[in-house]
Amino acid sequence: MDVGGFFVAILAALFNGSFGIFSKIKRVQDAEVPPPIFNFWTCIGIIISSLPFLFLHQVFTPLGLLSGVFFVISMACTIFAIQFLGLSSAAGLWCGTAVVVSFTFGVKALGDTIQQPSLAAPGLVLLIGGIAGIALNGEVVARRRQNEETLREEQEGDGEVEMGGGEDPLLSSENAKKKRTRTSLLGLATAVVAGIFGGLVLAPMDFAAEEAKGLAYIPSMGIGVLIAAPLLTLAFMALGQAPFQLYTKAAALPGILAGIIWNAGNVCSILATRNPNIGLSIAYPIMQAGLLFAGLWGILLYRELQNREQIGYWLSSIVLIAGVTMLASSK
C-alpha cells in the first residue's frame, strides 16, 4: 500500500464530505436559498479556484470540458434525488453507485491492476455496506424529525378540520400511494445517474494527452463547469425549481467557499488517481467515504444525531473504514 497516495485519497474524502456544511450555515438557512442557486455559487467557487492552475499549466483539452459537464450533471441529479428521497437515502445511493462505477471503470477500462483481489472484493462490499449503513441511519433520523413535524402540524390543525369536507379518504390514500411510488422511482433513477456521472468525473482525464493530465487538467475542467453551470441554473429556473434571483448576499460567499473546498478534494483525487499505486479504481471509491466525514460534521456542528442514533453511525463508520483499508491494501 502506498501510504502517501492513500493519505491524499483520504484528504479527498475529507474535502468531499466537508463542502456541504456551508449550505447549512445560518445566513443560508434563514434566506431559504434554493439548492439549485446554492449549487450555482458552488460551481462559481470551482471556477475561481481553477484559475491559479491556468497560470501554472497553460494547456487545454476538450476532455476536461467533458469532466466539467459530468460534474454539473451529477450535481443536478443529486438535487433532484435529495428532493425525491431525502438527503440520507439519496447520498447513500449515489455514493454506492459511484464506488461501483469508478472501481469497475478503473479496472476494466483503464487497466488498473489489483494485486490482491481477495482483499479488493470484500473491501468493496464493506465500503458500500458502510455507506449504506450511514445513509440508512440518517434516513431513520430524517423520518423521526418528519414524524415529529407531522404530529405537531396535526395537533395545531385539530380545531380547523371540518366534518364532511375534502375528498374520499380511500381515494386520497390511493393517490398518495401512487405519488409516493412515482417519487421513489424518480429518486432512485436520479440518484443512480448522479452516482454514474459522479464516479466518472475524472475518467476522461486518462484519455487526454500526457501534458494535459494531472493538475494541468483542472483549468479545462473548470471551463466545462463554467459552460454547463449557468445553463443548468437557467434550466432549473425555467422548470420552476428555483426563482429568478441568485440570493447573492446570503449565498455567494458560502457557496464559493463550498466550491473551493470541493475543488481541493478534486485536486487530491487527481493526485491520487495519477499515482500508479492507487489509480481511479481505488482513489474514487475512497473519496465516496466523504459521507463519513459529512456525518461527523453533522454530529459535531449541528447535533443532528442523538445518543442512540450515534451508535448506528459509528458502527457503520467502522465497517466503512475497514472497507477503505482493505481496498487500499489490495493495490
Side-chain angles (χ1 to χ4, degrees):
M1 178 175 67
D2 187 318
V3 176
F6 178 66
F7 177 72
V8 173
I10 291 295
L11 273 181
L14 172 61
F15 289 127
N16 189 43
S18 300
F19 79 94
I21 64 176
F22 292 94
S23 66
K24 294 185 176 182
I25 66 175
K26 190 175 186 300
R27 64 192 290 183
V28 176
Q29 294 296 313
D30 288 348
E32 298 182 350
V33 178
I37 301 301
F38 191 85
N39 179 60
F40 169 79
W41 289 111
T42 301
C43 290
I44 295 298
I46 293 171
I47 295 164
I48 291 173
S49 56
S50 297
L51 291 177
F53 295 94
L54 182 60
F55 295 102
L56 297 174
H57 306 280
Q58 297 180 5
V59 295
F60 172 77
T61 171
L63 292 168
L65 300 182
L66 188 60
S67 286
V69 172
F70 279 5
F71 166 78
V72 173
I73 291 174
S74 178
M75 290 297 286
C77 289
T78 61
I79 291 172
F80 281 111
I82 291 171
Q83 187 177 30
F84 293 137
L85 293 181
L87 176 59
S88 300
S89 295
L93 278 170
W94 80 61
C95 285
T97 302
V99 167
V100 174
V101 168
S102 56
F103 181 84
T104 304
F105 188 87
V107 172
K108 297 297 184 180
L110 303 181
D112 285 354
T113 302
I114 303 298
Q115 301 293 339
Q116 301 185 58
S118 60
L119 286 177
L124 197 63
V125 171
L126 288 175
L127 178 58
I128 295 173
I131 288 173
I134 292 174
L136 180 61
N137 191 67
E139 182 66 18
V140 170
V141 176
R143 287 185 180 277
R144 173 181 58 78
R145 292 180 176 175
Q146 186 178 31
N147 290 337
E148 290 174 353
E149 184 177 344
T150 300
L151 180 61
R152 184 167 57 251
E153 290 176 351
E154 288 177 351
Q155 290 174 343
E156 292 174 353
D158 278 345
E160 301 177 7
V161 178
E162 294 182 4
M163 297 297 293
E167 65 178 309
D168 187 329
L170 291 177
L171 182 60
S172 178
S173 176
E174 186 65 25
N175 289 338
K177 184 177 180 180
K178 290 180 179 179
K179 184 177 180 181
R180 284 195 299 269
T181 301
R182 184 168 60 251
T183 299
S184 297
L185 290 174
L186 287 172
L188 175 63
T190 51
V192 169
V193 172
I196 291 172
F197 281 99
L200 295 176
V201 164
L202 290 181
M205 182 178 68
D206 284 272
F207 301 97
E210 195 62 34
E211 65 272 13
K213 292 182 179 180
L215 298 182
Y217 190 75
I218 293 177
S220 300
M221 183 175 173
I223 294 172
V225 174
L226 177 63
I227 294 172
L231 295 176
L232 172 68
T233 305
L234 288 173
F236 276 124
M237 289 177 173
L239 292 171
Q241 297 295 318
F244 283 88
Q245 58 176 309
L246 294 177
Y247 294 82
T248 304
K249 184 176 180 180
L253 181 58
I256 290 172
L257 289 174
I260 292 172
I261 295 298
W262 184 90
N263 215 11
N266 186 44
V267 169
C268 291
S269 293
I270 289 175
L271 293 175
T273 57
R274 292 289 291 159
N275 186 320
N277 296 318
I278 303 296
L280 180 71
S281 61
I282 302 298
Y284 234 69
I286 291 177
M287 186 177 175
Q288 304 312 313
L291 194 62
L292 182 154
F293 294 104
L296 187 60
W297 287 125
I299 292 173
L300 297 178
L301 296 181
Y302 301 106
R303 302 291 188 268
E304 290 183 346
L305 302 181
Q306 298 176 358
N307 294 334
R308 184 179 298 179
E309 293 161 347
Q310 288 188 24
I311 297 175
Y313 168 81
W314 291 115
L315 288 176
S316 299
S317 297
I318 292 171
V319 173
L320 187 150
I321 292 170
V324 166
T325 303
M326 293 178 70
L327 199 61
S329 301
S330 68
K331 289 287 281 188

